[in-house]
Amino acid sequence: MFTTRTSEIFSYIKENPDLSLLVAKTMHVEQLLIQNLERDNIIYLSLRNIVVVEEHRRTGLFTDILIALEETNRPILIDDIKNKHLFPFLEKRKYSYYEYFKNNEKIQCMIKKVWLYNIEQLS
C-alpha cells in the first residue's frame, strides 16, 4: 500500500495487523517504509526507513507510529538505526539490541519479540 496522507498510515496499520508492506510520503513524513522482514526464522514487522519532515520532528509522530506497530501484537524490528538517541528510547519500551551484517557492514537494530505470535506462526 502507498499513501500520501499521514492519518492513513495509522488507520492502515490498525486495520491491517497482518500487513506486509506500507510505503508513505506525506506532508509530515518524507519517507516511510514498513515491511515484513525475516531474521532468525522470525517474521518481523519492520520499520525499515522513516524520515520525518524537519518541522514535525519531536512532535510524537515517530512514537505514534511505533505505538500503532506495537498494537499489531507482532514482532517488531526497527532496522538500520542511524539516530543513536533511539537506542535508549527503544530500550525503555522493552526493545532489545540486534545486529546483522549486510555487504560487510554491521547493521544496528532494535527488536521487540511477541512470543504468542511466534508460537501461533509455528502451528
Side-chain angles (χ1 to χ4, degrees):
M1 155 111 183
F2 175 77
T3 184
T4 57
R5 294 183 31 208
T6 303
S7 62
E8 286 181 349
I9 294 170
F10 304 106
S11 62
Y12 187 75
I13 292 170
K14 290 178 182 185
E15 293 168 12
N16 300 284
D18 292 327
L19 74 102
S20 61
L21 179 67
L22 175 60
V23 178
K25 181 175 180 158
T26 73
M27 63 183 293
H28 300 96
V29 178
E30 289 178 27
Q31 299 174 22
L32 175 74
L33 172 59
I34 298 170
Q35 71 181 114
N36 287 342
L37 185 64
E38 186 174 341
R39 294 284 180 257
D40 298 329
N41 296 317
I42 298 173
I43 298 173
Y44 290 93
L45 184 55
S46 177
L47 178 57
R48 306 279 323 265
N49 188 21
I50 184 168
V51 178
V52 177
V53 174
E54 182 90 32
E55 55 268 15
H56 295 285
R57 292 180 185 165
R58 302 205 179 275
T59 62
L61 182 60
F62 175 78
T63 301
D64 291 343
I65 291 170
L66 197 59
I67 289 168
L69 293 172
E70 292 169 352
E71 287 176 352
T72 66
N73 291 319
R74 292 179 59 189
I76 306 294
L77 182 140
I78 311 301
D79 194 38
D80 199 8
I81 298 172
K82 301 297 185 194
N83 180 346
K84 302 304 177 198
H85 298 288
L86 284 179
F87 290 105
F89 169 76
L90 292 167
E91 284 175 352
K92 288 179 185 174
R93 297 186 67 86
K94 308 293 185 210
Y95 284 74
S96 304
Y97 181 80
Y98 180 81
E99 64 185 35
Y100 65 93
F101 287 87
K102 181 178 180 181
N103 299 327
N104 294 323
E105 180 184 345
K106 181 168 56 171
I107 308 298
Q108 297 181 314
C109 309
M110 295 292 279
I111 59 172
K112 189 172 200 177
K113 294 181 181 177
V114 179
W115 297 107
L116 179 61
Y117 190 89
N118 293 336
I119 291 169
E120 290 174 356
Q121 277 185 319
L122 296 175
S123 53

